[in-house]
Amino acid sequence: MNRRALWASLVILGLAVAAAGCVDPRSQSHAVYVLIDTSGTYAREAGKAQLIINYLLGTLQPGDSLAVARVQSRSFTEKDIIAKAIFDQRPSQANAQKRAFREKTDAFLRTVQGSAYTDITGGMIQGAEFLNETGAGKKTILVFSDMQEELDKVTIRNFPISLKNIRVIAVNVVKLNTDNIDPRRYLGRLEAWQKRVEGAGASEWKVINDLERLDAIFAKS
Amino acid sequence: MTSMRDWMIWPDNIVLSVLVLVLIAMVGLYAVRAPMHGIIRTAAYALATALRLAARWLFAAAAAMKERNKAVLLAQGRREVGQRIEREFERVGILVTRDLQGYPVLQRKLLEAITRIEEDYKKCGEVPPPPPDWVEAVAAVAQIKSGGGEVVEKILDEIRQSVGRIHEKALGEYRRAYEERHDILEGALPFWRSIDATLKQVDKKMSDLAENAETVDEQMKKYRQIAAKTDEAESILSHSAFTQFNIAVIVLTIALGGAFVNFKLIALPMSEMVGAGDYITASLRTSEVAALVIILVEASMGLFLMEALRITHLFPRISNLSDRARRRMIWISLTLLVILASVEAALALMRDMLIADKQALLQSLAATAPAASSEGWVGRIPTAGQMVLGFILPFALAFVAIPLESFIHSARNIGGSMLADLIRMLGFALRVLGNLTRHLGRLLVHFYDLLVVLPLMVEHLVKSLRGGRAAVSRRRLDSTGELKS
């Protein structure tokens, strides 16, 4: 009887440990995809993007993922990813990766050149693909742009996209000259993006223009 | 759906309808009054009886539990006092063995000293030989008159001279003898001192023995009280258990603080070993669990060490091991503890390095000038402090076994006592509830009678009228003398 009870206890303990061990480590990690708009006049703002990248490098933990990509005339391509990393589980290795990541993005931002068109949608689709591949529990696309999409005649982006369970945060959405003339254009642009992003299944849409409060990126709304 | 108006006999006259309905209800209720009283009384009685039975059972259970608690408490007390007496006897035994071992030497020393002093005393008692008999002859010669002539004078002078010489010689001998006696007495002085010191030593040992005997007596008195299962012994032991419990809780809380500091020291560097991104549950990192496990293993090693050293007695199997096996266990647990402490010290160092690395990274990301780090030994104090803490805390945690044992033993008594009180309170509450139910039954009976007050009044009236008529008829019968009640 005692032996049976012992075996039962062992089995229960084993099951409990197995159940506890079943938590997928990736489900607790965070993946961030940063889109940097390099088109037209917004290319001048690229320097500020470094602030965001630095903040992310300082905040993301070992096991998290980070990718930085530029938004060009057509951005649905891996070639536009400037740097990407899945940080090592060991903090010391992760720190080394972060240093290398920073050097890579620094080099890119020093030599950034403006593009003719702005394909934000293509960048988002690419970002969603990357984030879904990481299998992270929390997925975020940061769009460093004025959110003014301009496509050439050949590029097709007017179809439904999927951003399921992805948070989309627009950062440093500067006002254009035309926005200053008619602010409704700016507000309308943001509203249209919100509608599109939420329609694509995004879990959250947020706009952060004040780069002093970047902590709002990871804050729950 | 039925409305109130459907119930009205005369919908236009609600008051009258209600009045008639109430009257009908009263009559109906009056008709079933006796069975309803029965139902209420039976239900209340059944419920009250069940509650009282439950209360009685709880009181009995509480009494049994109290008795059991008392037995456990007394058994624990008996064991503890028994161990203390055993220890006292061991101490007395050691004292007696040690002193008795030295006692023959001490006795020989004392006897030698006494013999020597006796000899000296005897020597001191030896008086110099008495003056010779010729003293009387001299006295007779001295009485001879000097007018006897020159020859006589010459003879007398020679006699005087020789007597003087003899006198001086005798005096010298006396002086020498006294000097010798003084020397002997002086020589005996160290022996007296030695005897004094030896006696003092004996006296001290005897008083130590007496003190130990007193302690044994006290413990024996306590033991007898416990064995007699007196209330006084129970009260003392219970009070002692409460005190032990409180002290153990305080010490364990302090130890928990130490364990928390220990955890903080090794949780971060453990992520370097098992990964920082691994989670066991949604919010529990593997590195944190690993750090916790290390701390618990250290505490377990400490527990085994204390058990093997027979300081604690949580595992009878360990304390019953042979001395050889126990010694092996001591060395194994101590070695593991030292290894774990060294690992912790290394982890503490790694933690410092990781924090420094992270700090450097953040500074480089913030593009600010690095903060001036304190160079030299001052800058290394926190690192050294962390390492020392990492090494010491496991050993400090090892001693948790002692308050833990006190906590476990006293918690049994406190918990049992509290549970017994709780059961008694519950029993009391059930008894009160049972009484309330009984009274509620009576109240409901009266309330029921209140509902049928009008028919009851009629009944009383009828009964009194019948009673009056019967009384009148009885009186009539009495006056005629035909019938007597």
Side-chain angles (χ1 to χ4, degrees), chain B residues 153-188:
Chain B
E153 265 180 22
K154 201 177 173 183
I155 290 166
L156 285 173
D157 194 42
E158 276 176 8
I159 288 169
R160 188 180 57 81
Q161 278 176 2
S162 59
V163 165
R165 273 198 305 273
I166 290 164
H167 172 71
E168 273 174 14
K169 197 181 170 187
L171 204 66
E173 273 176 13
Y174 266 106
R175 277 180 185 154
R176 225 174 10 257
Y178 273 108
E179 268 172 17
E180 273 173 14
R181 273 189 278 183
H182 277 139
D183 286 345
I184 291 162
L185 286 173
E186 209 173 345

Side-chain angles (χ1 to χ4, degrees), chain A residues 61-73:
Chain A
Q61 299 294 317
D64 291 346
S65 311
L66 177 65
V68 175
R70 63 183 161 197
V71 176
Q72 293 205 105
S73 300

